Amino acid sequence: MRGSARIPALAAVLALLLLPLTGPAAAADGPAVKLSASQAGTGGSVTARGSGWRPGTLLMLLICGRATPSRGVIGGTNSCANGDGRAVTTDTRGSFTRKLPVAEPPVPCPCVVHVATVTGAKAEADAVLQVAGHPVAPLPAETSGGRLSILSDTRLTGSGGVLTWFGAPPARTLEFTAGNVGTTPVKDPVFRVGTAHGVFAPQWDEQQWHGTLAPGGKALVRLPVELSAGAHGDYTVSLGYQGKVIAEQPWGVDRPWGVTLFWLLLCLVVPAALFRAGMAVVDRVRPRGPGGVRHRRLPRSLPRPARSRASGPEPAPTLPWFTQDSVPGGPAGRLSAPHHDSPTSPPTPTPKGPT
């Protein structure tokens, strides 16, 4: 009897020891979101509470149409009321509480509150919300048979050229290995490639891959990716298939420094050209002097000292290698050292010798 009584006691002790482990086990199932109300009308609000997310993660909350928790948001964020979304950051336990205004999505319901990470590893969760007064339409039929799966990591190949350095649209090729895990062949699948800058929603572009994947087969898929002219910064390339995002790839685009260099040179060349054009116009409209020669301003010379009236008239300029005494037929009339011929000067005595 004593042995049989000890067994329930041991079981109770083990249950108490294992009870604290049930909470982390439930959190390990993945991120989740719950709403304070399952139905609300436009103009109202609901409170979303999340758990199981990574601590300190930035999340985006959106009300999306044409979506269910099992199939996700068909059409991506184009099916959501992006203008009325809200952002929230999880706490140290990976939980959050955020009030979200109710708005009508651009597509019919069924609707959900879609919560997804903005940066870092991809994670998302949906909670059903009935938007009162919003139209409801059945979801498109889900294809059966062939199903594609990504068998390798996505990568961007290619590089920019000289034109990209001067602002041409950056272009790359998104490569990945896709496999058919279904039971029927998949022919010419249509993928959706989206590019997003920072925290903005991606811009999607549908691209068809031409080929057939047999059940159990795989193939290398290459899809072109191109940004707008002059794009630079941190971008994210998303790959979607059948309404779900199946892969993301970061892309850091360098700044087109050639455009900056062009504007710097333009700021130097244009003022210089305008200055030369202005000087040419001034030279053309300047008045002409006698003989049709335009007067040009001579450079300034040093000021001459003032002459008094007593000094007499200013002598005429002469060539530096001629003097008045050296000119033939001058007042001296001889080539000799200069001397005074004043009539008032006494005659020069001559020595007398014996005759």
Side-chain angles (χ1 to χ4, degrees):
M1 296 295 293
R2 292 180 179 180
S4 61
R6 291 177 180 177
I7 293 176
L10 292 175
V13 172
L14 291 175
L16 292 175
L17 293 176
L18 295 177
L19 182 61
L21 300 179
T22 57
D29 295 338
V33 59
K34 294 182 179 180
L35 303 178
S36 59
S38 60
Q39 182 177 358
T42 303
S45 62
V46 293
T47 302
R49 295 180 175 86
S51 61
W53 301 84
R54 296 192 314 274
T57 302
L58 180 62
L59 306 177
M60 179 61 71
L61 286 71
L62 298 171
I63 296 180
C64 305
R66 199 182 297 168
T68 59
S70 59
R71 295 187 59 179
V73 181
I74 301 176
T77 54
N78 292 334
S79 302
C80 305
N82 298 312
D84 296 289
R86 293 293 184 269
V88 65
T89 302
T90 59
D91 55 17
T92 56
R93 298 177 299 174
S95 303
F96 71 88
T97 301
R98 190 69 165 91
K99 195 172 184 180
L100 181 66
V102 178
E104 295 185 358
V107 294
C109 284
C111 300
V112 299
V113 172
H114 180 70
V115 184
T117 55
V118 177
T119 58
K122 182 69 175 179
E124 56 186 12
D126 298 322
V128 177
L129 175 66
Q130 297 180 8
V131 180
H134 193 63
V136 179
L139 296 177
E142 187 175 7
T143 58
S144 59
R147 292 187 298 111
L148 290 182
S149 177
I150 303 299
L151 305 180
S152 66
D153 296 334
T154 57
R155 58 186 179 275
L156 292 172
T157 60
S159 59
V162 179
L163 296 179
T164 305
W165 200 66
F166 283 94
R172 295 291 187 273
T173 300
L174 182 65
E175 295 185 354
F176 59 93
T177 302
N180 187 358
V181 296
T183 58
T184 59
V186 177
K187 183 178 180 180
D188 298 337
V190 178
F191 296 95
R192 301 175 71 243
V193 178
T195 55
H197 182 49
V199 298
F200 294 98
Q203 301 293 329
W204 295 98
D205 182 24
E206 291 187 355
Q207 298 185 15
Q208 186 175 19
W209 182 76
H210 298 281
T212 302
L213 282 174
K218 61 181 181 180
L220 180 63
V221 180
R222 295 186 177 92
L223 301 175
V225 182
E226 184 175 333
L227 302 178
S228 59
H232 62 277
D234 295 330
Y235 284 80
T236 301
V237 180
S238 303
L239 178 66
Y241 182 69
Q242 291 184 349
K244 295 184 179 180
V245 178
I246 56 179
E248 289 184 342
Q249 178 68 32
W251 183 9
V253 184
D254 296 333
R255 181 182 293 271
W257 293 107
V259 178
T260 305
L261 179 61
F262 170 78
W263 284 110
L264 289 177
L265 293 177
L266 191 64
C267 293
L268 296 176
V269 173
V270 170
L274 292 177
F275 175 78
R276 292 182 63 88
M279 293 301 297
V281 172
V282 170
D283 185 69
R284 183 172 295 275
V285 300
R286 183 179 298 169
R288 297 175 180 269
V293 179
R294 294 189 180 92
H295 293 283
R296 296 184 180 273
R297 181 176 297 178
L298 298 177
R300 293 183 177 180
S301 59
L302 295 177
R304 296 181 180 182
R307 294 178 58 88
S308 62
R309 296 183 178 180
S311 61
E314 184 178 358
T318 59
L319 297 177
W321 54 86
F322 287 103
T323 60
Q324 294 181 359
D325 297 336
S326 61
V327 177
R334 57 184 179 274
L335 297 175
S336 61
H339 61 277
H340 298 282
D341 291 339
S342 175
T344 59
S345 59
T348 303
T350 57
K352 294 183 178 181
T355 56

